[in-house]
Amino acid sequence: MSKTMDRKTFLSYLGTGAAALAAASAGLGVLDGKASAASATANHLFGFNTNRVSGYFDPIEATTEDNLVLPANFKYDVVAAYDDVINPAGERFGSGCDYNAFFPIDGSNVRGLLVNNHEYTTIFQLGPVEGDKMTKEQLDKSLYYQGMSVIEVYRDEKGVWKMDAGSSYARRINGYTKFDLTGPARGIPALKGATAVTGTFANCSGGVTLWNTVLSCEENFAETAAASGLPDTHYGWVVEVDPFDKAYLKKHTALGRFNHENTAMGLAADGRVVVYMGDDKKDACVYKFVSKGKYNKALGRANAALLEDGTLYAANLKTGKWVPVTLEEVLKAAKDKPELKLKFASQGDVVTYCQEAATLVGGTPTDRPEDIEISPFDNTVFICHTNNDSHGNIHGHITRIFEAGNDLGALEFDFEIFAAGGRQSGFSSPDNLAFDSNGHLWVVTDISSSSQNKGVHKSFMNNGLFVIPTSGPDKGKALQFASGPVECELTGPFFTPDEQTLFLSVQHPGENTKDLKNPTSTWPHRPGEKMARCAVVAISGFKLGL
């Protein structure tokens, strides 16, 4: 795709209403431009009865600058960065900023709680690790700075987004926090009989529930668990927290244990809750969980019990079917393997050793399925397959699933490759996704720091943020909105309900630094500092649509 795409052409589709775009899309049937009630994303986008257009910008060129580069007339404010004090107790913002979710306070678009995930630590938090073995102090820091932060943010009278460090809501959730276990793995021998566990870490992406809580996903947990001497099976789950209630902390084992990237929640046609999940690992499966019971809006947070009982499925892309990851199906597949029958003695064992179980029952190994999102307009499901060099899929692609009968609870589906990474599209290694209220897909990329600006990745330069229309004449074309600092990835895009602000994480700038006296990045370039800090920024400058 030409990086100098005609601005008039771009504005013509970015300013087009979702209904017109949907009508122009082939094979999707008649769409009315209204968000489906089945989508948690739709609740976020339409909670204030708006249909804002989060666009109007001149696409930028890829860069190698050590800065967050945005189109003309846009700006960013650093809201919170690693080690900033977040509350009166002196707790500090964590490391490896990833997923963001904004929760308005009293219906405000300019004050609310921002939940941020913290995925991992680097040399900037720990200092050099001698002999690949952390000291006790480094282990303590690793557990402290991973997890999650809940902070209060606001936009002041000058239009600058800031953190309110005096907030009574602000807090850290990390490797020392206690969680209750729910679901089939609670109390089983594989979890050493635990009904509650200590800590969450390796928190990657997440999702917002229909009852206004956050689901946070434990991804690459094994290294931290092993280094800290913690039971491996206590991690790799989906965590649920309530931003407004410090005591509400759960891990839902019915959703399976694997390298969780995120969750995307919607409703089946009959009212059951559906949760889509990716497993960020080479040759890993795509999952969905369908609750046994039905969602009742009047019950509010009590609907969380739906995540304790249901059926977990893995996608078989060859047959177009969702195959149950259940004890019954696992035992059928393992009928001639007595050692597996011993390993899988209960549904709790199945969800605990989910990756092996899913492959046994026929789940298709795929190319690092990361973020999954449900379109708020037509219930199609978008999956970022980031890459898999062992398959020759160097630049990744975005898959779009069409559930049978447009029902998220269906057990059969079709799919297409919606967009492929590479020179022709201008992006490589798609990771996190977000929709705006016109159905445009916002995509951040995750080219590894060791590959950036080298070889076949050279033309993409630093990781970026792109906008891709999901329908209309320019469906699938990527336009670059942002370029990140050196050796970072941009993560966790999340709009305020009026779409006038986009929260975005700048994760691990300067990740390849070996000598703290000579960092490869110094973003966000704070006066008097010569170090990089991961941070959450608030991007402003969006204009209203027609």
Side-chain angles (χ1 to χ4, degrees):
M1 184 202 73
S2 170
K3 292 183 180 295
T4 56
M5 180 180 181
D6 179 71
R7 183 173 186 268
K8 183 178 180 182
T9 301
F10 176 59
L11 294 182
S12 71
Y13 73 68
L14 194 56
T16 303
L21 285 176
S25 180
L28 294 181
V30 177
L31 304 177
D32 61 6
K34 296 179 181 177
S36 165
S39 171
T41 307
N43 288 348
H44 157 60
L45 291 174
F46 288 82
F48 290 81
N49 298 315
T50 63
N51 188 23
R52 308 296 191 186
V53 176
S54 52
Y56 296 110
F57 67 90
D58 288 309
I60 69 167
E61 298 286 335
T63 80
T64 58
E65 289 184 42
D66 187 30
N67 210 341
L68 178 58
V69 179
L70 302 174
N73 302 317
F74 287 83
K75 74 175 182 75
Y76 70 88
D77 303 312
V78 176
V79 177
Y82 157 67
D83 215 35
D84 285 350
V85 174
I86 66 170
N87 59 18
E91 292 185 293
R92 293 179 177 273
F93 198 67
S95 169
C97 306
D98 205 295
Y99 177 71
N100 294 293
F102 176 79
F103 292 81
I105 293 176
D106 298 328
S108 173
N109 285 298
V110 297
R111 181 176 283 272
L113 299 185
L114 186 69
V115 180
N116 179 257
N117 279 353
H118 301 300
E119 188 174 2
Y120 65 102
T121 50
T122 70
I123 191 172
F124 295 108
Q125 292 78 48
L126 306 180
V129 176
E130 301 295 336
D132 294 326
K133 187 173 182 179
M134 288 187 279
T135 65
K136 183 182 184 305
E137 181 183 5
Q138 288 174 323
L139 287 170
D140 288 342
K141 286 183 177 180
S142 180
L143 290 173
Y144 178 82
Y145 282 113
Q146 293 186 67
M148 307 170 71
S149 288
V150 179
I151 61 175
E152 187 167 336
V153 298
Y154 67 99
R155 192 178 71 198
D156 70 13
E157 65 280 356
K158 296 181 179 179
V160 177
W161 279 92
K162 298 178 178 178
M163 176 174 59
D164 183 352
S167 172
S168 61
Y169 292 110
R171 64 192 185 277
R172 285 299 316 284
I173 300 163
N174 57 27
Y176 297 104
T177 305
K178 304 288 186 182
F179 290 85
D180 291 326
L181 290 173
T182 76
R186 176 183 167 89
I188 68 170
L191 271 70
K192 302 184 183 300
T195 58
V197 298
T198 298
T200 187
F201 41 77
N203 299 75
C204 190
S205 190
V208 177
T209 67
L210 294 166
W211 44 92
N212 222 35
T213 61
V214 170
L215 297 180
S216 176
C217 293
E218 298 174 341
E219 190 190 37
N220 296 312
F221 56 89
E223 183 177 347
T224 298
S228 304
L230 297 167
D232 187 75
T233 55
H234 289 189
Y235 310 96
W237 304 104
V238 173
V239 170
E240 184 181 15
V241 305
D242 185 336
F244 294 95
D245 183 351
K246 296 179 180 180
Y248 189 84
L249 298 156
K250 298 178 182 292
K251 290 192 181 187
H252 293 297
T253 69
L255 301 181
R257 174 177 164 270
F258 45 87
N259 299 83
H260 281 277
E261 173 72 19
N262 87 314
T263 67
M265 181 178 287
L267 289 178
D270 63 5
R272 291 175 296 161
V273 166
V274 180
V275 183
Y276 291 89
M277 296 169 286
D279 183 1
D280 185 7
K281 182 181 177 183
K282 292 180 182 180
D283 304 325
C285 295
V286 174
Y287 297 87
K288 79 172 178 182
F289 170 87
V290 182
S291 67
K292 181 177 180 181
K294 296 181 180 180
Y295 173 68
N296 180 350
K297 184 176 181 180
L299 295 178
R301 197 177 71 182
N303 282 290
L306 296 171
L307 301 182
E308 302 177 20
D309 188 10
T311 303
L312 186 65
Y313 298 90
N316 184 311
L317 298 178
K318 185 175 180 180
T319 64
K321 293 182 179 180
W322 292 99
V323 293
V325 187
T326 60
L327 179 62
E328 179 183 6
E329 294 303 314
V330 168
L331 292 180
K332 282 182 186 177
K335 62 182 179 180
D336 298 323
K337 300 175 182 177
E339 72 281 3
L340 289 180
K341 288 187 177 182
L342 289 174
K343 183 173 186 176
F344 294 106
S346 68
Q347 182 62 23
D349 293 324
V350 171
V351 296
T352 300
Y353 305 109
C354 192
Q355 290 167 325
E356 184 177 358
T359 302
L360 275 172
V361 301
T364 300
T366 66
D367 296 344
R368 289 183 60 199
E370 294 207 48
D371 212 323
I372 301 178
E373 297 294 341
I374 305 165
S375 167
F377 297 103
D378 62 5
N379 270 359
T380 58
V381 180
F382 290 77
I383 306 167
C384 278
H385 284 100
T386 297
N387 54 45
N388 188 343
D389 56 5
S390 63
H391 290 176
N393 186 0
I394 307 302
H395 299 301
H397 60 273
I398 300 172
T399 303
R400 187 181 197 175
I401 284 182
F402 301 82
E403 296 280 26
N406 199 36
D407 179 5
L408 298 183
L411 298 184
E412 295 186 0
F413 63 89
D414 199 353
F415 74 94
E416 68 181 19
I417 304 303
F418 169 72
R423 288 176 59 89
Q424 79 289 345
S425 59
F427 70 90
S428 176
S429 306
D431 189 339
N432 294 159
L433 302 171
F435 281 98
D436 64 30
S437 58
N438 266 346
H440 305 310
L441 197 60
W442 293 67
V443 183
V444 292
T445 59
D446 181 14
I447 302 169
S448 68
S449 295
S450 60
S451 297
Q452 283 180 34
N453 298 297
K454 298 175 184 176
V456 296
H457 293 95
K458 191 171 184 179
S459 65
F460 306 103
M461 301 189 188
N462 294 354
N463 279 311
L465 169 61
F466 299 79
V467 181
I468 308 178
T470 60
S471 54
D474 293 294
K475 170 185 170 183
K477 292 184 179 180
L479 295 108
Q480 188 160 0
F481 177 83
S483 176
V486 170
E487 294 169 7
C488 89
E489 58 176 300
L490 302 177
T491 59
F494 199 97
F495 287 101
T496 53
D498 64 357
E499 296 190 13
Q500 295 303 287
T501 301
L502 173 65
F503 292 104
L504 187 69
S505 292
V506 178
Q507 188 183 71
H508 63 66
E511 180 181 35
N512 285 343
T513 295
K514 304 299 181 186
D515 179 1
L516 288 173
K517 294 180 180 179
N518 294 289
T520 56
S521 170
T522 57
W523 188 91
H525 310 301
R526 288 184 166 177
E529 286 192 354
K530 192 177 181 182
M531 68 173 289
R533 293 179 185 265
C534 62
V536 174
V537 302
I539 298 174
S540 305
F542 299 99
K543 297 182 177 6
L544 303 185
L546 301 177

